[in-house]
Amino acid sequence: MPIKFRNTNKKYSLIAAIQSQCAKDFAQYKSGRRFKREASDKKAYKPGTLGLSMVSQAIQKEYGGYLNRSGRKLLAKAGRVSRPRFYNI
């Protein structure tokens, strides 16, 4: 079978190879791209509308106010008592 296209110039061969690799990369990029998600139907959250959680209520009852985890840890360490665990049920 005779070869119809024969490129004897190395410069043009290099250009053709680079273009074919770029075309392959572009095709792979297009085939694997992710599409945007559709907009959500949920209502937007407005801060303060949910109220207190069970955990925050238990922490407020135990300590008399809101303390973060590190503050509760330091209090337990200073008093040498085991700190209570709070779970959301």
Side-chain angles (χ1 to χ4, degrees), residues 12-70:
Y12 295 127
S13 297
L14 177 64
I15 291 171
I18 291 172
Q19 286 177 347
S20 67
Q21 184 61 43
C22 289
K24 180 182 174 188
D25 292 343
F26 182 73
Q28 286 178 344
Y29 165 73
K30 280 295 192 182
S31 67
R33 80 182 260 255
R34 296 182 180 202
F35 297 97
K36 288 184 177 180
R37 293 183 181 175
E38 294 181 7
S40 176
D41 295 336
K42 292 183 181 179
K43 288 174 51 179
Y45 168 70
K46 292 181 182 172
T49 56
L50 289 179
L52 297 175
S53 69
M54 299 291 285
V55 173
S56 63
Q57 287 176 355
I59 291 171
Q60 188 177 19
K61 186 190 268 184
E62 179 76 26
Y63 292 100
Y66 296 111
L67 283 176
N68 59 7
R69 188 180 298 173
S70 58

